[in-house]
Amino acid sequence: MPSARIVIDRDFTIGPVPRRLFGSFVEHMGRCVYTGIYEPGHPEADERGFRQDVLKLVKELGPTVVRYPGGNFVSGYNWEDGVGPVEERPRRLDGAWHTVETNAFGLHEFVEWSKDADVEVMEAINLGTRGVDAAREIVEYANHPGGTALSDRRIANGAKAPFDIKLWCLGNELDGPWQIGHKTAEEYGRLAQEAGKAMRFVDPSIELVAVGSSNSGMPTFGSWEHTVLSHAYDEVDYMSMHAYYQEHDGDASSFLASAVDMDYFIESVVATCDAVRAKRKAKKYINLSFDEWNVWYQTGLETDDQPGAVSQSWREHPRLIEDTYNVTDAVVVGTLLNSLLRHGDRVSIANQAQLVNVIAPIRSEENGPAWKQTIFWPFARMAALARGEILRTATTSDKVSSKQFGDADQVDVSATFDEQNGRVALFLANRGLDGAADVTVALNGFVGGRVLRAELLEIPSGGTRLTANTLESQDALGLVPLDGVVVDGSTATLRLPALSWAVVEIEVSKG
Ligand code: AHR
């Protein structure tokens, strides 16, 4: 039987768990906002139109920070269209998603919703069609206490207290030819520098994310980051990254090894940021904001839900990329989360894209129910239980080989130590499609006590690796108990069924 030995040590920590690692993303795209988080008239909506059934699931999912309002959408968006009396807001064509944007939902509504959802706002600005002026104006509107035309306009629009938004994205995917206002690295680097400077003049406390490569396969990957930082190093705090993975042509082994690519991507961007740091003899580090990541079936599944289908007519909130996620997708998402957590010393922010309906852990139907997709579970458990310090994990595992990404550990893991509550949490995945894997965990420096939680996501009986939760069968897949976890002194043993994800929480004291 395949096996893995994992060693963790109380003294070998990577750093505190960055709580912003468990972020999500709400874009004005498809049905993420409209009929997702917001649907006036829905039986579960409150007087502001916020769907309480969706909000309840969002709270259970537990994102800590939510990026808004795009995405590709933001590169043609005028934030002013979304503030002020709703009946006076303009209807606009959104070229990014070939959609009619009603602007019924905007900045004030999102800030209100974020308070209800208990998440931090991460606001993206338009550096596609707009520039320095609009960049500084939105910061003044949102964050200045009052006594100026823009801040008084916010107050007149109903928000006396400043929104106090700390995290700002300086545009979105501007390296991509598909982006409205696509730029060269030189053009973008200078614009980000000047926009960032002007925004900080208004509010010096803000944190700024520079646009990085849209994915590691971009022809400009590496040189884009280098050039942008050679201009904007002093002005920005984070470099953004985006990556989406999918199964191609039934090659599940490669798909399951996607996190090997994520590791490589993260380590490459860290190296580029640090190369610029060395060249500039700078003290500060640029950390990473992995502000779009997920499984997304971009090819091979062309249906009415795919973006190609929307270019025929202009519609309000059409169904766009409403991927249905299966067991395999959930295991991959678990390993992607592991990769992010293992790099938590440099990845400070990460946003799963997106939150509702659009490649999302939560689905909802117009005038209908809301439910959890399979990928909900690894995110929800990790967001809740990854607390305290990230532990280094030394893993010796049997390998699974893959065409696309080479060999990967069959058992993938990340771990945290919550000293305050005396708990170690292990987040585990078995990438093996056929066999269970026996796992031994050496808890060096700890004495293990009770098993506080042991939960498993696996192929349900009678199901397959493609089993998913759907409108018709909303609870086909959930977490079940992981039986047989044994803790004996400083060793824990467990068995992971084929193609599974698990979380194990163990009470520990000092060894
Ligand atoms: O999340 C969907 C889209 O993917 C975003 O709008 C864009 O930034 C990315 O290409």
Side-chain angles (χ1 to χ4, degrees):
M1 177 173 302
S3 65
R5 178 177 153 75
I6 295 156
V7 182
I8 57 173
D9 191 302
R10 195 181 188 281
D11 291 321
F12 293 170
T13 58
I14 290 175
V17 176
R19 293 293 300 159
R20 284 172 169 171
L21 220 51
F22 308 109
S24 190
F25 177 31
V26 165
E27 176 165 7
H28 282 247
M29 174 181 177
R31 301 192 310 113
C32 188
V33 172
Y34 303 109
T35 72
I37 62 172
Y38 174 80
E39 188 181 335
H42 186 281
E44 298 275 351
D46 68 8
E47 67 292 350
R48 299 162 299 175
F50 299 167
R51 276 185 67 158
Q52 298 301 302
D53 54 344
V54 172
L55 191 63
K56 190 166 168 247
L57 294 181
V58 171
K59 285 185 171 169
E60 192 181 338
L61 182 72
T64 50
V65 54
V66 177
R67 183 169 176 250
Y68 173 84
N72 294 347
F73 170 79
V74 81
S75 296
Y77 178 58
N78 297 331
W79 66 268
E80 300 89 337
D81 289 348
V83 304
V86 176
E87 58 287 358
E88 289 171 21
R89 296 184 194 172
R91 287 166 66 83
R92 300 266 190 214
L93 294 184
D94 159 32
W97 300 112
H98 212 272
T99 296
V100 174
E101 170 58 52
T102 65
N103 284 305
F105 190 96
L107 182 58
H108 285 252
E109 289 78 17
F110 184 66
V111 169
E112 275 295 299
W113 180 88
S114 296
K115 281 186 200 144
D116 289 12
D118 196 20
V119 299
E120 181 182 1
V121 173
M122 181 179 191
E123 182 75 14
I125 63 162
N126 174 359
L127 286 187
T129 59
R130 304 191 78 182
V132 177
D133 222 22
R136 64 180 180 156
E137 285 184 2
I138 188 175
V139 178
E140 184 176 332
Y141 182 92
N143 285 5
H144 195 68
T148 66
L150 283 163
S151 54
D152 286 347
R153 201 168 140 203
R154 180 199 69 240
I155 295 168
N157 286 336
K160 186 158 185 340
F163 294 150
D164 199 21
I165 299 172
K166 289 283 173 254
L167 258 184
W168 296 82
C169 302
L170 296 169
N172 178 72
E173 292 191 353
L174 288 153
D175 63 325
W178 60 86
Q179 200 70 203
I180 301 176
H182 169 218
K183 292 178 174 44
T184 65
E186 284 285 344
E187 289 166 344
Y188 174 71
R190 284 288 297 126
L191 179 58
Q193 179 182 24
E194 293 305 320
K197 197 171 81 186
M199 291 163 81
R200 272 202 218 281
F201 283 158
V202 178
D203 182 352
S205 74
I206 58 178
E207 298 168 55
L208 298 173
V209 183
V211 164
S213 294
S214 299
N215 59 70
S216 60
M218 296 297 290
T220 49
F221 173 54
S223 66
W224 172 274
E225 285 79 357
H226 199 279
T227 304
V228 168
L229 286 181
S230 71
H231 291 295
Y233 199 96
D234 293 339
E235 283 75 21
V236 305
D237 303 286
Y238 308 101
M239 175 57 68
S240 98
M241 306 174 65
H242 292 177
Y244 293 102
Y245 296 96
Q246 74 169 92
E247 184 173 322
H248 293 277
D249 304 322
D251 180 3
S253 301
S254 293
F255 179 43
L256 285 158
S258 298
V260 171
D261 183 68
M262 188 182 244
D263 288 344
Y264 169 79
F265 188 14
I266 292 170
E267 286 155 25
S268 304
V269 179
V270 166
T272 309
C273 293
D274 289 354
V276 181
R277 176 175 182 264
K279 195 166 170 214
R280 294 173 71 95
K281 300 186 172 58
K283 288 267 182 297
K284 92 170 183 189
Y285 283 95
I286 299 292
N287 284 328
L288 309 186
S289 172
F290 213 130
D291 43 43
E292 284 186 36
W293 67 268
N294 206 352
V295 171
W296 176 4
Y297 285 85
Q298 286 174 287
T299 57
L301 278 179
E302 270 78 25
T303 69
D304 283 353
D305 292 351
Q306 299 300 314
V310 301
S311 56
Q312 308 307 318
S313 61
W314 291 100
R315 289 179 286 170
E316 288 177 26
H317 55 77
R319 281 184 193 272
L320 293 184
I321 60 171
E322 299 195 356
D323 287 10
T324 297
Y325 293 114
N326 58 42
V327 181
T328 319
D329 300 325
V331 174
V332 170
V333 163
T335 60
L336 297 176
L337 283 162
N338 279 348
S339 171
L340 291 167
L341 188 59
R342 286 191 302 254
H343 291 96
D345 54 336
R346 296 303 296 272
V347 183
S348 311
I349 305 157
N351 306 71
Q352 189 180 40
Q354 300 185 3
L355 183 60
V356 187
N357 290 328
V358 177
I359 46 172
I362 298 169
R363 287 285 299 268
S364 67
E365 279 301 320
E366 186 166 3
N367 211 23
W371 67 96
K372 299 167 189 163
Q373 297 233 56
T374 59
I375 62 168
F376 183 97
W377 295 108
F379 189 106
R381 285 298 182 266
M382 214 181 219
L385 303 173
R387 302 264 171 188
E389 294 284 318
I390 307 166
L391 292 166
R392 264 179 216 291
T393 47
T395 304
T396 311
S397 169
D398 280 315
K399 304 285 180 196
V400 287
S401 58
S402 78
K403 271 196 224 135
Q404 221 183 327
F405 303 121
D407 285 352
D409 286 336
Q410 175 159 345
V411 174
D412 186 70
V413 67
S414 66
T416 55
F417 171 41
D418 175 0
E419 184 163 22
Q420 218 182 343
N421 294 300
R423 291 162 185 218
V424 161
L426 300 163
F427 306 97
L428 303 133
N430 179 2
R431 292 181 164 117
L433 286 160
D434 304 317
D438 277 334
V439 182
T440 305
V441 187
L443 305 161
N444 290 356
F446 296 109
V447 176
R450 284 176 305 148
V451 176
L452 301 169
R453 178 192 300 266
E455 291 173 321
L456 179 72
L457 185 145
E458 63 171 341
I459 299 172
S461 87
T464 72
R465 73 177 186 86
L466 303 179
T467 298
N469 292 343
T470 60
L471 173 62
E472 296 74 31
S473 180
Q474 293 171 17
D475 297 310
L477 205 105
L479 294 178
V480 295
L482 171 66
D483 297 324
V485 179
V486 175
V487 179
D488 184 6
S490 293
T491 306
T493 53
L494 55 105
R495 178 169 291 177
L496 292 174
L499 193 66
S500 62
W501 177 88
V503 54
V504 175
E505 232 193 335
I506 301 169
E507 188 178 51
V508 290
S509 53
K510 205 169 172 184

